[in-house]
Amino acid sequence: RHAVCIFYLVLRALDTIEDDMTIRLDVKVPMLHEFHSYLYEPEWKYMESKEKDRQVLEDFPTISREFRNLSKVYQDVISDICHKMGVGMAEFLEKKVDSQHEWDKYCHYVAGLVGIGLSRLFSASELEDPIVGQDTELANSMGLFLQKTNIIRDYLEDQTEGREFWPKEVWSRYAKKLSDLAKPENIDMAVQCLNELITNALHHVPDVLTYLSRLKNQTVFNFCAIPQVMAIATLAACYNNKQVFRGVVKIRKGQAVTLMMDATNIQAVKAIMYQYVEEIYQKIPSTDPSSNKTQQVIASIRAMSLPSSPMTSRHHYSPIYLSCAMLLAALSWQYLSTISKATEDYVQAGEN
């Protein structure tokens, strides 16, 4: 628990540096490269950030002290991930995401590495088998699925704030500029572009199911599974939906709560995945350029997620246990900026 919480705070600090557009590049790039070393400098802090989460930089000595109190095996994982992530973030500060390969690479740096780091922590704690931390490809897919969901859903918000994360290789087939997709006269092409990116993201679902099937510890399972079912529900809501280009698409509060309560075992998660890919399948337009690819990836997910046993009832777990699991899941989901405000309110209410 302590290792995961400190990992979260350390990454929040690193992410705050990356996000702060008031820091000059000649200052920001060295900070990102050296950030992992600040973990071992008791006095290091940064007082000039204008970001909403600047407290983690201003109070960084408190975070780094707790980091140094962790077991060395945890310190080594967190420091290594911070180093790799900082270097990757710096690389993409000065270039845009052009190809789909670069999209995967960017998502690896900012989210896949989180999945890899968490997986290594799970194995280091001996709550999970060594293979969970060793299989970096599956762990990377866990992060990519969440991050791509973020990027797809947040098109309009990112446009408003001057950020572009949709890969040019894809959107350039539908518009001259990424911003053109928000124009009412381009809505049909915009939705086709959206559907192609959702199809791309769905290719990570088989890896997600394989990863989750290896987990043995109940708390670890809930922590990992809840963000993933939130993501598939979000993609189902976004698929073929013009509203992505007009405002915010969110899953309903009751839907979010139900997902959090039900995603407590692999068969339940498979049933949830099956439900939402079926929802997407029913919405595939016959004229969509990606329709065949979408149908193919859904077929592969169906093959893995056909329900083979009834979902375990949530009533098998105590309310206190579920509250803790939901809080942990929300922490992970918030780092990747994908949990809806409604779900956050629910978790906060649970805490109170």
Side-chain angles (χ1 to χ4, degrees):
R1 181 182 62 190
H2 287 139
V4 170
C5 287
I6 295 302
F7 189 31
Y8 168 81
L9 289 172
V10 167
L11 295 184
R12 172 56 61 204
L14 179 59
D15 201 44
T16 302
I17 293 172
E18 184 205 22
D19 286 344
D20 194 332
M21 303 305 290
T22 68
I23 305 175
R24 299 195 323 270
L25 278 183
D26 62 328
V27 175
K28 185 185 288 192
V29 170
M31 283 178 71
L32 292 174
H33 277 276
E34 298 301 321
F35 184 82
H36 67 288
S37 67
Y38 303 151
L39 292 166
Y40 298 97
E41 297 180 20
E43 304 303 319
W44 187 88
K45 58 186 174 182
Y46 187 72
M47 305 300 292
E48 298 172 37
S49 177
K50 303 297 188 292
E51 284 290 298
K52 59 178 172 43
D53 294 324
R54 61 184 177 275
Q55 183 183 354
V56 290
L57 295 173
E58 295 172 351
D59 294 342
F60 197 75
T62 303
I63 298 171
S64 66
R65 181 177 69 247
E66 293 301 323
F67 165 82
R68 293 189 298 277
N69 286 335
L70 295 173
S71 299
K72 185 177 184 301
V73 65
Y74 294 143
Q75 289 186 39
D76 290 347
V77 171
I78 294 171
S79 176
D80 180 51
I81 296 298
C82 280
H83 189 190
K84 291 173 180 173
M85 189 178 291
V87 170
M89 286 176 166
E91 178 184 333
F92 277 91
L93 280 178
E94 300 180 90
K95 70 177 184 180
K96 290 187 176 182
V97 178
D98 285 333
S99 67
Q100 292 184 69
H101 172 74
E102 284 182 334
W103 197 36
D104 282 358
K105 192 176 181 182
Y106 172 76
C107 291
H108 163 73
Y109 284 139
V110 301
L113 284 171
V114 181
I116 291 169
L118 284 168
S119 301
R120 288 169 62 186
L121 293 178
F122 299 151
S123 294
S125 69
E126 299 185 354
L127 292 173
E128 298 295 346
D129 290 339
I131 187 63
V132 172
Q134 292 166 357
D135 195 334
T136 56
E137 186 172 342
L138 292 188
N140 187 59
S141 282
M142 292 283 284
L144 263 61
F145 186 56
L146 301 185
Q147 186 67 17
K148 287 181 177 182
T149 299
N150 261 2
I151 289 171
I152 290 166
R153 188 199 65 182
D154 292 342
Y155 165 84
L156 199 60
E157 179 185 328
D158 287 337
Q159 279 294 301
T160 302
E161 298 186 13
R163 299 188 298 256
E164 293 191 353
F165 297 113
W166 283 25
K168 185 176 181 180
E169 180 184 341
V170 176
W171 64 253
S172 62
R173 291 198 287 269
Y174 302 92
K176 291 182 179 179
K177 294 186 297 183
L178 182 56
S179 58
D180 289 344
L181 294 178
K183 296 177 179 178
E185 63 268 26
N186 296 329
I187 192 63
D188 291 339
M189 296 297 279
V191 168
Q192 290 178 3
C193 181
L194 169 70
N195 291 347
E196 181 172 345
L197 290 180
I198 290 175
T199 301
N200 176 296
L202 288 173
H203 281 89
H204 297 294
V205 173
D207 278 357
V208 167
L209 292 173
T210 302
Y211 179 97
L212 293 174
S213 69
R214 290 177 173 172
L215 301 179
K216 297 179 178 179
N217 180 275
Q218 184 67 61
T219 306
V220 172
F221 184 90
N222 287 23
F223 179 83
C224 295
I226 291 172
Q228 302 295 331
V229 295
M230 294 283 194
I232 192 68
T234 300
L235 289 184
C238 289
Y239 185 81
N240 209 49
N241 189 348
K242 298 176 182 179
Q243 188 60 27
V244 172
F245 304 94
R246 297 169 178 166
V248 180
V249 175
K250 289 184 177 181
I251 57 176
R252 300 183 310 278
K253 179 179 179 179
Q255 186 181 3
V257 173
T258 300
L259 289 169
M260 295 170 80
M261 299 293 274
D262 286 345
T264 56
N265 63 83
I266 187 61
Q267 290 305 326
V269 170
K270 285 182 176 181
I272 291 167
M273 292 287 189
Y274 187 90
Q275 171 192 338
Y276 284 110
V277 296
E278 283 300 302
E279 187 177 309
I280 292 171
Y281 184 83
Q282 296 301 322
K283 294 193 288 188
I284 300 174
S286 59
T287 56
D288 191 274
S290 303
S291 60
N292 288 339
K293 289 182 178 179
T294 310
Q295 290 167 353
Q296 288 170 11
V297 69
I298 286 177
S300 67
I301 297 168
R302 278 173 172 164
M304 289 189 71
S305 60
L306 277 169
S308 59
S309 64
M311 283 196 278
T312 301
S313 169
R314 58 176 172 264
H315 302 298
H316 286 220
Y317 304 98
S318 72
I320 292 175
Y321 176 85
L322 283 166
S323 295
C324 293
M326 285 187 277
L327 179 60
L328 280 172
L331 189 70
S332 170
W333 193 238
Q334 184 186 354
Y335 172 75
L336 295 165
S337 304
T338 50
I339 193 165
S340 68
K341 183 66 169 65
T343 309
E344 290 174 2
D345 290 344
Y346 178 82
V347 175
Q348 289 164 7
E351 288 177 316
N352 293 336

